[in-house]
């Protein structure tokens, strides 16, 4: 490049800079709209909070030259969540003078939430009638789709700027504020602003009183580690990594799980999981439930409260939103009577909130329930509560983690190991209560918690008597023999354990388990259903055959042998025409099986007949294979756990089921 070319490039750069400078000067001196920049004293006469809001708005509007210079446009200003949105009805009027709004046809609009019936109580067409529209809406709040489509600019409003605070301090003579005071002020409820800034009074002293008040009123709640939640905890740790990658811009929201359904008996920690997840993810927690939303009033108030909680979650993303007792929403297929319309409206609104037009990026929903079978299928499809994990009672390893969390003074102590071993069947809530009682004992003696404090609270172990051990062995052997004979699946392991035995993995403290790799079939036949029922009833049949009577080991819970066999028989009779009747009406398809039995008592007789037949078949199989049954039970009594080649050898005397069962399998366990 020669000297002349270099000089030409320099001249062009200088000319460009001069033109840009002239454009900036023109923009500053010839702003399309006169913003009322001298009304701060007027706002201050109303309240210090309005003064802060006014200063923030003026600062933002001064930068919107393109919006005001354009022929038409919609400017959506997102106000920080928690700041009273109604403040901007007054502040907007103050900033944009009425005469200027008339001459330039600028409309200022504070966006409302939906009405009580879930509808918008305004017409977007009326607001968009003006060439320019300034809309105020809270961060995360729902905005009418028509306004979103029309928006030319959407921008967040920054409030409590240092210069504005300095101006307020000077005007009211409230003394200096430290950086710590300013940071604390920005993090807390803006409704306190008017109480903190009182003319001639120390704002710093007021903030000190606010700190003390909040510290006294705040409940310091410890949260469990993810290791205490088993499979759900593993999912939670993956969510921690995914959310961090999303924050860093390394992972799109489309690649992250949108929600999880946790189900299980009461006390296993479904609610605690959501709190712990929010803590380890450093995410905002929004706890909601149908009961909480219903407390606001009628249907319209309920829907309004629902949308407000979802808006809070979106505005605080990343956020964990807990929907507790989600089964209370019900299943739309089962609604009937006078309340059906109301219930439909509530479920539909929830579905809309879960994946509405505005989406919910950054919001992970955790649904918790004791009764997953009561949920509407639309709630648990992909994109909503797409992951389903059962939270069982903790095993010994998880009980150890929970006790060490609540009693950190005893971490690593043998007392914790002994307690975890002896507390089979205890839930996380039970363990927290036990730990609290140990602490109470220590406080009464004015000392730290000791191992003896925990030991004295442990339940007295009553070991199984020899005859009861034998009964459990016979029961589990009955399941294994029937499974082999009926071709239900491969018997993987048979185990017995007494209360307090080492490393149990049960979820209810039962005395035995039989693990079966069950054949997975694309189409289930009547033969397969019946075989499954007979295998479930074989434990009870074995007790009656060998011991001489039946015990409580086959029933008493939703997961028991009898409950499972009854559920299968009920499904066969009511849904698939596999009973003594072929009748099935289309309007019955979506009704629960129990409801069908209530409506038609004769169906129960069919269920009873089917169960009787399969119990008799299980009994006959055990009679024919009694030597193998006794050999397996004797070995189980001696060895406590049978698996692998040892188990295969004991079952080799049982004739194998002839039908081809080489399909994919999945594991099940039976008590």
């Amino acid at each position: 490049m020669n000297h002349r070319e270099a000089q030409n490039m320099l001249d062009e750069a200088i000319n460009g800079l001069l033109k840009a400078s002239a454009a900036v000067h023109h923009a500053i001196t010839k702003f399309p709209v006169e913003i009322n920049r001298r009304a701060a004293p007027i706002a201050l006469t109303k309240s210090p909070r309005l003064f802060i809001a006014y200063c923030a708005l003026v600062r933002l509007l001064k930068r919107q030259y393109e919006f005001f210079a354009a022929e038409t446009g919609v400017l959506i200003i997102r106000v920080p969540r928690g700041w009273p949105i109604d403040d901007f009805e007054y502040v907007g009027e103050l900033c944009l003078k009425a005469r200027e709004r008339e001459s330039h046809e600028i409309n200022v609009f504070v966006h409302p939430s939906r009405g009580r019936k879930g509808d918008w109580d305004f017409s977007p067409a009326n607001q968009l009638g003006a060439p320019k529209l300034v809309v105020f809406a809270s961060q995360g709040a729902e905005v009418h789709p028509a306004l979103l489509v029309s928006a030319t600019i959407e921008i967040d409003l920054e409030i409590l700027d240092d210069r504005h605070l300095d101006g307020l301090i000077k005007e009211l003579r409230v003394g200096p504020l430290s950086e710590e005071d300013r940071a604390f002020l920005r993090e807390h409820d803006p409704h306190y602003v008017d109480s903190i800034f009182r003319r001639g009074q120390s704002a710093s002293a007021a903030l000190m009183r606010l700190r003390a008040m909040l510290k006294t009123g705040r409940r310091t709640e410890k949260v469990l580690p993810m290791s205490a939640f088993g499979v759900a905890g593993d999912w939670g740790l993956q969510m921690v990594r995914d959310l961090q990658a999303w924050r860093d811009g390394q992972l799109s929201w489309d690649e992250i799980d949108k929600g999880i359904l946790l189900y299980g008996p009461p006390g296993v920690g479904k609610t605690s999981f959501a709190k712990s997840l929010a803590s380890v993810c450093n995410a905002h927690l929004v706890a909601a439930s149908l009961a909480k939303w219903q407390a606001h009033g009628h249907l319209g108030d309920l829907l309004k409260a629902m949308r407000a909680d979802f808006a809070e979650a979106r505005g605080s993303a990343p956020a964990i939103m807990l929907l507790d007792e989600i089964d209370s929403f019900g299943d739309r297929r089962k609604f009937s009577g006078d309340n059906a319309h109301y219930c439909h409206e509530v479920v539909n609104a929830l579905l809309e909130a879960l994946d509405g037009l505005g989406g919910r990026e950054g919001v992970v929903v955790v649904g918790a329930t004791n009764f997953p079978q009561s949920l509407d299928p639309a709630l648990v499809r992909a994109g909503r509560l797409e992951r389903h994990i059962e939270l069982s009672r903790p095993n010994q390893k998880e009980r150890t983690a929970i006790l060490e969390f609540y009693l950190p003074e005893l971490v690593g102590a043998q007392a914790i190991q002994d307690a975890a071993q002896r507390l089979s069947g205890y839930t996380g809530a039970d363990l927290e209560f036990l730990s609290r009682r140990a602490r109470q004992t220590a406080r009464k003696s004015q000392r730290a918690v000791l191992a003896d404090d925990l030991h004295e609270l442990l339940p007295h172990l009553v070991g199984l008597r020899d005859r009861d051990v034998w009964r459990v062995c016979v029961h589990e052997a009955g399941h294994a023999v029937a499974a082999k004979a009926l071709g239900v699946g491969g018997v993987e392991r048979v185990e017995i354990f007494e209360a307090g035995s080492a490393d149990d993995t049960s979820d209810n403290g039962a005395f035995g388990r039989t693990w079966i790799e069950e054949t997975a079939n694309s189409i289930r036949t009547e033969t397969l259903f019946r075989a499954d029922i007979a295998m479930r009833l074989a434990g009870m049949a074995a007790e009656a055959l060998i011991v001489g009577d039946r015990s409580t080991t086959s029933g008493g819970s939703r997961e028991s042998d009898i409950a499972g066999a009854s559920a299968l028989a009920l499904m066969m009779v009511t849904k698939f025409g596999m009973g003594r009747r072929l009748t099935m009406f289309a309007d019955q398809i979506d009704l629960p099986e129990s409801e069908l039995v209530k409506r038609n008592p004769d169906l129960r007789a069919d269920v009873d007949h089917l169960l009787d037949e399969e119990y008799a078949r299980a009994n006959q199989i055990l009679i024919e294979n009694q030597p193998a049954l006794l050999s397996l039970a004797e070995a189980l009594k001696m060895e406590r756990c049978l698996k692998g080649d040892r188990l295969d050898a004991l079952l080799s005397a049982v004739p194998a089921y002839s039908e081809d069962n080489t399909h994919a399998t999945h594991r099940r366990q039976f008590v």
Side-chain angles (χ1 to χ4, degrees):
M1 181 184 297
N2 57 38
H3 177 73
R4 181 177 295 278
E5 289 175 338
Q7 184 62 44
N8 290 338
M9 289 182 64
L10 179 61
D11 292 342
E12 289 179 3
I14 293 173
N15 289 333
L17 182 61
L18 291 174
K19 289 180 181 179
S21 176
V24 170
H25 179 73
H26 176 77
I28 295 174
T29 57
K30 302 292 185 179
F31 199 80
V33 173
E34 181 182 348
I35 297 173
N36 190 355
R37 308 183 189 185
R38 299 182 179 182
I42 299 175
L44 186 57
T45 60
K46 294 287 186 181
S47 76
R49 195 180 71 214
L50 288 175
F51 172 89
I52 291 294
Y54 165 83
C55 293
L57 183 58
V58 168
R59 181 169 178 264
L60 181 145
L61 292 179
K62 287 193 300 182
R63 302 175 180 178
Q64 305 308 313
Y65 177 85
E66 291 184 2
F67 168 75
F68 289 112
E71 187 175 353
T72 62
V74 174
L75 170 64
I76 297 180
I77 300 176
R78 291 286 188 174
V79 177
R81 184 178 58 84
W83 196 279
I85 192 69
D86 291 340
D87 285 1
F88 291 90
E89 185 171 358
Y90 171 78
V91 170
E93 294 282 344
L94 197 61
C95 285
L96 298 170
K97 294 180 180 180
R99 62 182 180 84
E100 291 294 338
R101 289 177 54 202
E102 289 173 3
S103 60
H104 290 85
E105 298 181 326
I106 300 175
N107 186 17
V108 175
F109 177 58
V110 176
H111 199 294
S113 57
R114 290 180 186 260
R116 291 185 58 186
K117 294 184 178 181
D119 300 323
W120 297 110
D121 292 336
F122 70 94
S123 171
N126 292 339
Q127 304 303 327
L128 293 169
K132 296 190 186 68
L133 174 64
V134 178
V135 179
F136 294 99
S138 296
Q139 288 178 2
E142 188 179 12
V143 173
H144 196 292
L147 299 183
L148 287 175
V149 170
S150 302
T152 50
I153 301 174
E154 186 170 354
I155 190 169
D156 290 339
L157 178 67
E158 296 179 6
I159 296 184
L160 292 169
D161 179 88
D162 277 337
R163 290 173 296 176
H164 303 155
L165 285 174
D166 290 340
L168 185 60
I169 290 167
K170 181 179 179 181
E171 288 292 329
L172 296 180
R173 306 186 309 279
V174 295
L177 284 182
S178 66
E179 289 300 322
E180 183 182 2
D181 285 337
R182 293 168 188 253
F184 179 80
L185 180 64
R186 294 186 181 104
E187 293 173 0
H188 289 83
D189 192 338
H191 289 86
Y192 288 118
V193 169
D194 290 346
S195 301
I196 293 167
F197 294 96
R198 304 280 295 171
R199 189 177 296 276
Q201 301 295 319
S202 171
S204 181
L207 284 167
M208 186 181 300
R209 290 190 291 271
L210 178 60
R211 282 193 184 91
M213 182 183 72
L214 294 176
K215 184 176 181 180
T216 301
R218 184 185 299 118
R219 184 178 69 173
T220 55
E221 186 171 24
K222 297 165 66 176
V223 294
L224 285 165
M226 286 287 104
S227 59
F229 296 102
V231 176
D234 295 338
W235 179 89
L237 292 175
Q238 182 60 50
M239 180 56 65
V240 173
R241 294 187 287 269
D242 287 349
L243 282 182
Q244 187 57 53
W246 174 75
R247 284 187 178 103
D248 296 339
Q250 300 171 357
L251 194 64
S252 72
W253 184 250
D254 293 338
E255 299 181 63
I256 299 176
D257 284 350
K258 307 301 183 295
I260 182 173
L261 175 69
L262 296 178
Y263 61 94
V268 293
K270 297 182 290 294
T271 304
S272 298
F273 174 83
K275 296 176 181 177
S276 298
L277 181 64
S279 177
V280 297
C281 290
N282 193 25
H284 181 68
L285 176 66
V286 179
S289 66
L290 179 60
K292 173 190 171 184
W293 292 333
Q294 282 179 324
H296 287 79
H298 296 293
L299 177 61
D301 301 310
L302 182 159
L303 300 180
K304 198 170 184 178
M306 179 192 299
R307 294 186 181 100
D309 278 348
F310 273 93
E312 178 185 344
R314 288 193 302 270
S316 307
I320 305 299
M321 183 158 189
L322 170 65
L323 296 180
D324 207 3
E325 307 295 346
I326 194 172
D327 54 279
S328 58
F329 286 92
D331 185 343
R332 288 173 297 177
R333 299 172 301 173
K334 303 172 186 177
F335 295 154
S336 60
D338 296 337
N339 292 327
H341 177 72
Y342 173 94
C343 296
H344 274 282
E345 288 282 343
V346 174
V347 174
N348 290 340
L350 178 59
L351 295 174
E352 180 186 349
L354 284 171
D355 58 357
L357 181 64
R360 53 178 173 93
E361 182 165 348
V363 179
V364 178
V365 178
V366 177
T369 178
N370 299 337
F371 309 106
Q373 68 276 10
S374 300
L375 294 179
D376 191 298
L379 286 173
V380 293
R381 71 154 174 79
R384 291 169 182 159
L385 302 180
E386 53 196 2
R387 293 295 299 270
H388 309 153
I389 297 179
E390 181 178 9
L391 272 183
S392 302
R393 289 177 172 86
N395 60 29
Q396 181 174 338
K397 180 180 178 181
E398 292 159 358
R399 291 195 296 271
T400 299
I402 294 171
L403 287 171
E404 288 185 339
F405 174 78
Y406 287 121
L407 298 171
E409 303 92 334
L410 302 181
V411 170
Q414 185 61 40
I416 291 286
Q417 300 296 327
D418 294 342
Q421 179 178 327
R422 293 176 57 179
L423 294 173
S424 173
Y426 275 53
T427 66
D430 296 331
L431 297 173
E432 189 275 334
F433 175 63
L434 199 71
S435 303
R436 188 160 15 105
R437 289 181 60 194
R439 289 193 171 284
Q440 290 170 351
T441 299
R443 282 201 305 273
K444 288 179 182 178
S445 301
Q446 298 183 338
R447 55 171 172 74
V449 177
L450 301 176
D452 288 345
D453 298 328
L454 180 60
H455 187 269
E456 291 177 1
L457 296 172
L458 299 181
H460 178 62
L461 284 180
V462 179
L464 288 176
R465 296 173 293 181
D466 286 344
R467 67 181 185 184
D468 291 331
V469 171
W470 175 241
R471 178 188 293 278
V472 174
C473 292
V474 167
H475 182 107
E476 299 305 327
H479 284 312
V481 168
K484 173 72 180 300
L486 292 166
V488 172
V491 183
E492 184 182 83
R493 189 170 91 214
V494 184
E495 184 176 3
I496 68 165
F497 38 81
E498 301 178 37
S501 66
D503 194 27
D504 73 274
T505 56
S506 67
D507 62 357
N508 60 5
F511 297 111
R513 281 286 184 276
T514 299
W515 282 263
I516 296 174
E517 285 287 339
E518 182 193 24
T519 302
N521 295 276
S522 301
I523 298 177
R524 296 207 69 183
T525 64
E526 182 177 354
T527 298
L528 291 173
F529 272 118
R530 283 179 171 270
D532 202 341
I533 292 172
M535 185 273 299
R536 291 171 185 267
L537 298 177
M540 176 190 290
E543 290 186 48
L545 176 65
I546 304 301
V547 183
D549 65 351
R550 300 179 294 190
S551 69
T552 58
T553 55
S554 294
S557 72
R558 291 176 178 269
E559 297 80 24
S560 67
D561 296 338
I562 298 175
S566 299
L568 286 172
L570 193 60
M571 189 185 305
M572 291 173 65
V573 168
T574 59
K575 297 295 188 185
F576 302 118
M578 294 179 181
R580 293 182 294 183
R581 296 169 175 79
L582 297 176
T583 308
M584 168 57 69
F585 297 105
D587 59 354
Q588 296 179 355
I589 293 296
D590 292 331
L591 290 176
E593 292 88 346
S594 57
E595 181 66 26
L596 289 172
V597 171
K598 290 178 183 177
R599 296 186 181 192
N600 187 351
D602 289 341
L603 290 176
R604 179 158 191 163
D606 288 1
V607 172
D608 290 338
H609 177 74
L610 202 159
L611 292 173
D612 289 342
E613 285 188 339
E614 293 313 312
Y615 180 83
R617 183 157 72 123
N619 185 63
Q620 185 60 38
I621 289 171
L622 296 176
I623 291 173
E624 294 171 358
N625 294 279
Q626 188 165 336
L629 173 67
L630 291 171
S631 296
L632 184 58
E634 289 284 1
L636 190 57
K637 182 179 179 181
M638 294 296 295
E639 302 174 37
R640 288 306 197 258
C641 180
L642 299 171
K643 58 184 178 180
D645 294 340
R646 173 63 171 150
L647 179 58
D648 292 342
L650 288 164
L651 288 173
S652 63
V654 179
Y657 189 65
S658 60
E659 186 174 339
D660 179 21
N661 284 311
T662 58
H663 307 293
T665 60
H666 64 274
R667 179 182 299 168
R668 290 198 299 174
Q669 53 181 331
F670 301 93
V671 296

